[in-house]
Each structure stands twice: as structure tokens, then as C-alpha cells.
Amino acid sequence: MNVSIEKAIELLESGEPVAFPTETVYGLGADAWNPGAIKKVFEIKGRPSDNPLIVHIASKAMVNDFATEIPEAAVKLMDACWPGPLTLIFRKKPEVLDLITAGLDTVALRWPSHALAQELIFRAGPLVAPSANTSGRPSPTKASHVTEDFGNDFPVIDGGATQIGLESTVLDISEQPFRIYRPGFIDKSKIEKITGEEVILQKKNTSGQETRSPGTKYSHYAPEAVVRWLEEGETPDQKNALYLLHSLEGKEDEHHIHYHQNFQQMASELYDRFRQADHQQLDTIIIEPFDERARKEHPITEALLNRITKAVGG
Ligand code: TXA
Ligand code: MG
């Protein structure tokens, strides 16, 4: 159900979650100081309670309500990237609700750039906002995706299709060296350039590291269809399959989507393609792997690789 900003604020203030657009994906927002509202977020998504939430803010001043230490590098990153698709993990203040942080001593903060998100947070206050999908489903990049997962009666502010289409970069700056737990539009080399420090791209979580970013251990972003990589030398002619290609020459039709090296567009459409394939009851989604050149020239392929690998089941 499409709601206005005014209605959304009213709902948030009465402790009800509301979905809203950001520049990355739609978020399921709830008042970051209301434990009852936050519990509803976990229930609606079917989200495990050990997976912490990002607090969405709309000014640098709001950081001080949640974070204790604000390292020099964080100031540089906030100046360069906020508002925008970068989530920073800080040491938390004791009053931050344990429900949000899953008992960790850190809190994730992000100032989204989407105008509707900024207005909502500015007027309603800081909001926790996981992606507005049922846990395990692809993140929503359109209001209709939210409705698909939560039903027609669920309130959503419709801001059209989101621009970036993949979730924000999650960067832990609470400890040295800095670590990227989830790659996104703001890539490693950009962060290194801004901070002047080396950053580690955390690969798969091994058991010892699980508690540092619990969300990364869950399988995510998966449609019903099987997702797999195109094999070397394989011709793209499997029946009832959707091909997502970027370099391979060949036919282009509704089952063969060709991005011609436009990886930003691929990122912005990926989750919608996943969902559409399910609507069309296709059995397989087959994606052309990224070669070394694509990875070097198009840093967004790191984020794409991360999400696709999870959908493949890695
Ligand atoms: O782009 C985005 O970030 C979207 C939009 C709505 O802003 N939100 C989003 O939230 O993707 P969610 O809940 O789906 O993903 C948050 C990720 C999870 O992997 C979670 O484990 C991690 O951030 N996270 C949150 N707080 C953390 C913390 N204190 N330490 C480590 N990881 C944390
Ligand atoms: Mg999510």
C-alpha cells in the first residue's frame, strides 16, 4: 500500500514499521529508539535476531547519539561519501539498544542520499532499516518488490526504482585495519584513497570471525530459480533459462540480456531480474563470469560478484 511521507511519519511515531526508498535498495524502517517497533522489523522479515541492523541518520550530528569514538579516517569518509551508499561501523554508546546491535559493542550507521529517505529521517528521527525483503529473498529495488514479500496492506513510500540496486558498502572502522564486510558501490580503492590507509576486503566469514559481522554468514539474495555461472565454452542456449551477459557476443532477446560492459546497469537491475525470472517460472539464471579486465576496470563487479556468489550458494 502506497503511503505519503506524512502518513509514514505518523506510523513510525506510533511504533509501526514502514518501507521507504534509498539510493541502494528499499529499507524497512522503524524508530531506532523504540524496542517494540524494532522487534516488529525482525518478525516481519523473519530475520535471525543475531543479525544486527543499520541505523539510518540524516546528519553528521546524529552520529554522536550512537557512536563513542569517531576516528579521523571516519571524518574523512563521512565528508567524502555521506550522504551516500557507505555504512560505517563505530564503537557504540551504551544506550544504543542491544536489539539493534545483536549484543555487539559496535553500531552500523549510514546517511542515505535519497531525498525521500533524508526527509523521512530528518522528520521522524533515526531509523533502523534492513532491506525490506523477507529474509533470504533478493533485496527490493522497487516498491512492488516490497509488496510482493510483505503483502498489499504493508505501507511503503513509492520512490520508483532505486538507482544503485545493491546494498551499501559495510566498512568496519572500529578497529585497525579497516575491513569491508560487504562490498558495494563505494569500493575498496576509493576508501583507501580517502583514508590513506590499507583496507581489507573480508572474504567469506570463517567461524572465528563470525561475530564481527553476523549477517555475512547467511545465504542471501537468492531467487527460486537456480543461479549459476556460465561455464567456459558453454553456448547460451539452455531452455527456460535467463542469461545475463556482458561481453559474450550473440543473440539478445528477453532470455538473453546483454549489458555490454555496463556493470552499473547490471547492478541496478540484478535483483529485479532475479524476481522477474521467478515470475516467468524460469528454472535457471546463468551469469557470465567477470574476467580480470572487467574486474580491474569496473570496481562495482566486486559487489556484483559478492551478491551473485551468495545467490549461487557460496
Ligand atoms: O543499502 C543498505 O545498506 C540497505 C538500505 C535499506 O540502507 N540496508 C541493508 O540492511 O542492506 P541489511 O540489514 O539488509 O544489512 C545490514 C548488514 C548486515 O550484513 C549486518 O550483519 C551488517 O550490515 N551489520 C549491521 N550492524 C553491524 C555491526 N555492528 N557489525 C557488523 N556488521 C553489522
Ligand atoms: Mg538485507
Side-chain angles (χ1 to χ4, degrees):
M1 182 186 32
N2 191 3
V3 295
S4 64
I5 281 247
E6 275 67 30
K7 179 68 186 172
I9 293 166
E10 202 182 294
L11 288 166
L12 290 166
E13 284 173 352
S14 63
E16 293 301 322
V18 175
F20 65 98
T22 80
E23 71 279 22
T24 58
V25 300
Y26 276 73
L28 177 58
D31 178 354
W33 296 113
N34 183 332
I38 300 169
K39 279 193 192 127
K40 285 182 192 160
V41 165
F42 282 96
E43 278 164 23
I44 292 165
K45 279 186 63 84
R47 181 178 178 110
S49 59
D50 68 349
N51 191 0
L53 303 173
I54 300 170
V55 178
H56 292 60
I57 56 178
S59 70
K60 282 183 205 151
M62 285 188 188
V63 173
N64 301 310
D65 296 335
F66 296 90
T68 45
E69 287 161 44
I70 303 174
E72 185 61 41
V75 177
K76 288 184 191 159
L77 287 164
M78 291 190 278
D79 285 343
C81 303
W82 279 6
L86 176 67
T87 296
L88 296 174
I89 296 179
F90 296 90
R91 305 217 142 261
K92 77 170 188 101
K93 286 209 158 148
E95 52 269 37
V96 180
L97 296 171
D98 275 340
L99 269 174
I100 297 179
T101 61
L104 299 174
D105 55 5
T106 54
V107 63
L109 300 179
R110 159 161 134 78
W111 177 358
S113 64
H114 195 291
L116 286 170
Q118 295 204 57
E119 186 183 349
L120 189 68
I121 298 159
F122 191 74
R123 291 173 60 186
L127 303 176
V128 295
S131 50
N133 54 284
T134 305
S135 259
R137 297 262 297 146
S139 292
T141 56
K142 293 177 173 172
S144 61
H145 297 164
V146 178
T147 307
E148 239 171 69
D149 282 15
F150 299 157
N152 248 327
D153 291 341
F154 195 82
V156 49
I157 302 175
D158 189 348
T162 60
Q163 195 197 337
I164 293 173
L166 299 179
E167 307 81 351
S168 62
T169 307
V170 176
L171 177 69
D172 189 348
I173 42 124
S174 72
E175 262 178 26
Q176 297 267 15
F178 299 162
R179 281 171 203 273
I180 295 173
Y181 292 144
R182 182 174 71 184
F185 182 80
I186 311 262
D187 61 85
K188 180 176 179 302
S189 64
K190 180 158 190 197
I191 294 167
E192 289 180 334
K193 208 174 280 169
I194 294 164
T195 59
E197 306 202 30
E198 204 195 325
V199 173
I200 293 170
L201 184 65
Q202 183 94 13
K203 292 290 176 184
K204 234 179 130 95
N205 259 340
T206 58
S207 51
Q209 291 158 333
E210 259 171 22
T211 50
R212 297 299 310 165
S213 192
T216 53
K217 75 173 177 245
Y218 296 107
S219 155
H220 261 117
Y221 324 113
E224 301 287 322
V226 169
V227 182
R228 69 169 176 85
W229 295 105
L230 184 74
E231 281 167 33
E232 213 173 316
E234 180 186 349
T235 36
D237 56 5
Q238 185 177 316
K239 290 273 168 293
N240 219 29
L242 173 70
Y243 287 90
L244 301 181
L245 309 167
H246 50 82
S247 305
L248 198 73
E249 297 299 326
K251 78 172 160 200
E252 292 181 40
D253 57 25
E254 63 162 336
H255 290 267
H256 298 80
I257 310 301
H258 208 303
Y259 287 102
H260 300 285
Q261 306 281 327
N262 187 343
F263 297 100
Q264 305 279 0
Q265 191 189 345
M266 186 175 185
S268 74
E269 292 181 7
L270 185 74
Y271 292 145
D272 188 46
R273 295 279 177 201
F274 281 3
R275 284 177 183 259
Q276 278 180 32
D278 285 347
H279 293 313
Q280 295 164 8
Q281 297 182 313
L282 301 180
D283 358 280
T284 319
I285 299 167
I286 304 165
I287 306 177
E288 185 183 353
F290 309 120
D291 54 30
E292 216 161 293
R293 183 162 159 214
R295 296 193 58 184
K296 202 177 256 165
E297 290 176 8
H298 305 274
I300 190 75
T301 53
E302 190 66 55
L304 277 166
L305 180 64
N306 172 273
R307 306 313 191 274
I308 295 166
T309 303
K310 290 197 173 191
V312 167

